[in-house]
Coordinates of all heavy atoms in Angstrom, one line a residue:
K340 N 83.7 34.1 33.9 CA 84.5 34.4 32.7 C 84.6 33.1 31.8 O 84.8 32.0 32.3 CB 85.9 34.8 33.1 CG 86.8 35.3 32.0 CD 88.1 35.8 32.6 CE 89.0 36.3 31.5 NZ 90.3 36.8 32.1
I346 N 89.9 27.6 30.8 CA 90.4 27.3 32.2 C 89.6 28.2 33.2 O 89.5 27.9 34.4 CB 91.9 27.6 32.3 CG1 92.5 26.9 33.5 CG2 92.2 29.1 32.3 CD1 92.4 25.4 33.5
Y347 N 89.0 29.2 32.7 CA 88.2 30.1 33.5 C 86.9 29.5 34.0 O 86.5 28.5 33.4 CB 88.0 31.5 32.8 CG 89.3 32.2 32.4 CD1 89.6 32.2 31.1 CD2 90.1 32.7 33.4 CE1 90.8 32.8 30.7 CE2 91.3 33.3 33.0 CZ 91.7 33.3 31.7 OH 92.9 33.9 31.4
F427 N 96.3 24.2 33.2 CA 95.9 23.8 34.5 C 95.5 25.0 35.4 O 96.0 26.1 35.1 CB 97.0 23.1 35.2 CG 97.3 21.7 34.7 CD1 98.0 21.5 33.6 CD2 96.8 20.6 35.4 CE1 98.3 20.2 33.2 CE2 97.0 19.3 35.0 CZ 97.8 19.1 33.9
A428 N 94.7 24.7 36.4 CA 94.4 25.6 37.5 C 94.2 24.8 38.7 O 93.9 23.6 38.6 CB 93.2 26.5 37.2
I429 N 94.5 25.3 39.9 CA 94.3 24.6 41.1 C 93.4 25.5 42.1 O 93.7 26.7 42.2 CB 95.6 24.2 41.8 CG1 95.4 23.5 43.1 CG2 96.5 25.4 42.0 CD1 96.6 22.8 43.8
W434 N 90.8 30.4 46.8 CA 91.9 30.7 46.0 C 91.9 29.9 44.7 O 91.7 28.7 44.8 CB 93.2 30.6 46.7 CG 93.5 31.5 47.8 CD1 93.5 31.3 49.1 CD2 93.7 33.0 47.7 NE1 93.7 32.4 49.9 CE2 93.8 33.5 49.0 CE3 93.7 33.8 46.6 CZ2 94.0 34.8 49.3 CZ3 93.9 35.2 46.9 CH2 94.1 35.7 48.2
K435 N 92.2 30.5 43.6 CA 92.4 29.8 42.3 C 93.6 30.3 41.6 O 93.7 31.5 41.4 CB 91.2 30.0 41.4 CG 91.3 29.3 40.1 CD 90.1 29.5 39.1 CE 90.3 28.8 37.8 NZ 89.2 29.1 36.9
L436 N 94.5 29.4 41.3 CA 95.8 29.8 40.6 C 95.7 29.1 39.3 O 95.8 27.9 39.1 CB 97.0 29.3 41.4 CG 98.3 29.6 40.8 CD1 98.6 31.1 40.7 CD2 99.5 28.8 41.6
N437 N 95.6 30.0 38.2 CA 95.7 29.5 36.8 C 97.1 29.5 36.4 O 97.9 30.5 36.5 CB 94.9 30.5 35.9 CG 93.5 30.5 36.1 OD1 92.9 29.6 36.6 ND2 92.8 31.7 35.8
M438 N 97.6 28.3 36.1 CA 99.0 28.1 35.8 C 99.3 28.5 34.3 O 99.9 27.8 33.5 CB 99.4 26.6 35.9 CG 99.0 26.0 37.3 SD 99.6 26.9 38.7 CE 101.4 26.6 38.6
L439 N 99.0 29.8 34.0 CA 99.2 30.4 32.7 C 98.9 31.9 32.8 O 98.4 32.3 33.8 CB 98.3 29.7 31.7 CG 96.8 29.7 31.9 CD1 96.1 31.1 31.7 CD2 96.1 28.7 31.0
R440 N 99.3 32.6 31.8 CA 98.8 33.9 31.6 C 97.9 33.9 30.4 O 98.5 33.7 29.3 CB 99.9 34.9 31.5 CG 99.5 36.4 31.4 CD 100.7 37.3 31.4 NE 100.2 38.7 31.3 CZ 99.9 39.5 32.3 NH1 99.9 39.0 33.5 NH2 99.5 40.7 32.1
G441 N 96.6 34.0 30.5 CA 95.7 33.7 29.4 C 95.5 34.9 28.5 O 96.0 36.1 28.8
S442 N 94.8 34.7 27.4 CA 94.5 35.7 26.4 C 93.5 36.7 26.9 O 93.4 37.8 26.4 CB 94.0 35.1 25.2 OG 92.8 34.4 25.4
G443 N 92.7 36.4 28.0 CA 91.7 37.3 28.4 C 90.5 37.3 27.6 O 89.5 37.9 28.0
G444 N 90.4 36.5 26.6 CA 89.2 36.4 25.7 C 88.3 35.3 26.3 O 88.5 34.7 27.4
P448 N 92.0 29.6 26.5 CA 93.0 30.6 26.7 C 94.3 30.3 25.8 O 94.6 29.1 25.6 CB 93.4 30.4 28.2 CG 93.0 29.0 28.5 CD 91.7 28.8 27.7
V449 N 94.9 31.3 25.3 CA 96.1 31.2 24.6 C 97.2 31.7 25.5 O 97.1 32.7 26.1 CB 96.1 32.1 23.3 CG1 97.4 32.0 22.6 CG2 94.9 31.6 22.4
I451 N 100.2 33.5 26.9 CA 100.9 34.7 26.5 C 102.2 34.8 27.3 O 102.2 34.6 28.5 CB 100.0 36.0 26.9 CG1 98.7 36.0 26.1 CG2 100.8 37.3 26.8 CD1 97.8 37.1 26.5
A458 N 103.1 39.3 35.7 CA 102.9 38.0 36.4 C 102.8 36.9 35.4 O 102.2 37.0 34.4 CB 101.6 38.1 37.1
P459 N 103.5 35.8 35.6 CA 103.5 34.6 34.7 C 102.2 33.8 34.8 O 101.8 33.2 33.9 CB 104.7 33.8 35.1 CG 104.9 34.1 36.6 CD 104.5 35.6 36.8
F460 N 101.6 33.9 36.0 CA 100.3 33.1 36.3 C 99.3 34.1 36.8 O 99.5 35.3 36.9 CB 100.6 32.0 37.3 CG 101.7 31.1 37.0 CD1 102.5 30.5 38.0 CD2 101.9 30.7 35.7 CE1 103.5 29.6 37.6 CE2 102.9 29.8 35.3 CZ 103.7 29.2 36.3
E461 N 98.1 33.5 37.0 CA 96.9 34.3 37.5 C 96.4 33.8 38.8 O 96.0 32.6 38.8 CB 95.8 34.3 36.4 CG 96.2 34.8 35.0 CD 95.2 34.6 34.0 OE1 94.2 33.9 34.2 OE2 95.4 35.1 32.9
L462 N 96.3 34.6 39.8 CA 95.8 34.2 41.1 C 94.5 35.1 41.4 O 94.6 36.3 41.3 CB 96.8 34.5 42.2 CG 96.3 34.1 43.6 CD1 96.1 32.6 43.8 CD2 97.3 34.7 44.7
Y463 N 93.4 34.4 41.7 CA 92.2 35.1 42.0 C 91.6 34.6 43.3 O 91.7 33.5 43.7 CB 91.2 34.8 40.8 CG 91.6 35.2 39.5 CD1 92.1 34.3 38.5 CD2 91.6 36.6 39.2 CE1 92.5 34.8 37.3 CE2 92.1 37.0 37.9 CZ 92.5 36.1 37.0 OH 92.9 36.6 35.8
D464 N 90.9 35.6 43.9 CA 90.1 35.3 45.1 C 88.7 35.2 44.7 O 88.0 36.2 44.4 CB 90.3 36.5 46.1 CG 89.4 36.3 47.4 OD1 88.5 35.5 47.4 OD2 89.7 37.1 48.3
E471 N 87.0 36.6 37.9 CA 88.4 36.5 37.5 C 88.9 37.7 36.8 O 89.4 37.7 35.7 CB 88.7 35.2 36.8 CG 88.5 33.9 37.6 CD 88.5 32.7 36.7 OE1 87.5 32.3 36.1 OE2 89.6 32.1 36.7
T472 N 88.7 38.9 37.4 CA 89.1 40.1 36.8 C 90.4 40.8 37.3 O 91.0 41.5 36.6 CB 87.9 41.2 36.9 OG1 87.7 41.4 38.3 CG2 86.7 40.6 36.3
K473 N 90.7 40.5 38.6 CA 91.9 41.1 39.2 C 92.9 40.1 39.6 O 92.7 39.3 40.6 CB 91.4 41.9 40.5 CG 92.5 42.7 41.1 CD 92.0 43.5 42.3 CE 93.2 44.3 42.9 NZ 92.7 45.1 44.1
N474 N 94.0 40.1 38.9 CA 95.1 39.2 39.2 C 95.9 39.6 40.4 O 96.4 40.7 40.5 CB 96.0 39.1 38.0 CG 97.1 38.0 38.1 OD1 97.2 37.3 39.1 ND2 97.9 37.9 37.1
L475 N 95.9 38.7 41.5 CA 96.5 39.0 42.7 C 97.9 38.3 42.9 O 98.3 38.1 44.0 CB 95.6 38.6 43.9 CG 94.2 39.2 43.9 CD1 93.4 38.6 45.0 CD2 94.3 40.7 44.0
Y476 N 98.5 37.9 41.8 CA 99.7 37.2 41.8 C 100.8 37.8 42.7 O 101.4 37.2 43.5 CB 100.2 37.0 40.4 CG 101.5 36.2 40.3 CD1 101.5 34.9 40.2 CD2 102.8 36.9 40.3 CE1 102.7 34.2 40.1 CE2 103.9 36.2 40.2 CZ 103.9 34.8 40.1 OH 105.1 34.1 40.0
F477 N 101.0 39.1 42.5 CA 102.0 39.8 43.3 C 101.6 40.1 44.7 O 102.5 40.3 45.6 CB 102.5 41.1 42.5 CG 103.2 40.8 41.2 CD1 102.7 41.3 40.0 CD2 104.4 40.1 41.3 CE1 103.4 41.0 38.9 CE2 105.1 39.9 40.1 CZ 104.6 40.3 38.9
V483 N 100.7 31.8 46.1 CA 101.2 31.3 44.8 C 102.2 30.2 45.1 O 102.1 29.1 44.4 CB 101.9 32.4 44.0 CG1 102.6 31.9 42.8 CG2 100.8 33.5 43.6
L486 N 100.3 26.9 46.5 CA 99.5 26.2 45.5 C 100.4 25.7 44.4 O 100.1 24.6 43.8 CB 98.5 27.2 44.9 CG 97.4 27.6 45.9 CD1 96.3 28.5 45.2 CD2 96.7 26.4 46.5

Side-chain angles (χ1 to χ4, degrees):
K340 187 175 182 178
I346 199 63
Y347 301 110
F427 287 82
I429 179 170
W434 294 111
K435 180 182 180 188
L436 180 64
N437 294 335
M438 308 304 292
L439 54 76
R440 185 177 178 85
S442 62
V449 176
I451 294 176
F460 303 144
E461 301 172 350
L462 178 69
Y463 298 107
D464 178 346
E471 296 171 274
T472 62
K473 185 178 181 182
N474 187 358
L475 302 176
Y476 179 88
F477 290 119
V483 172
L486 293 183

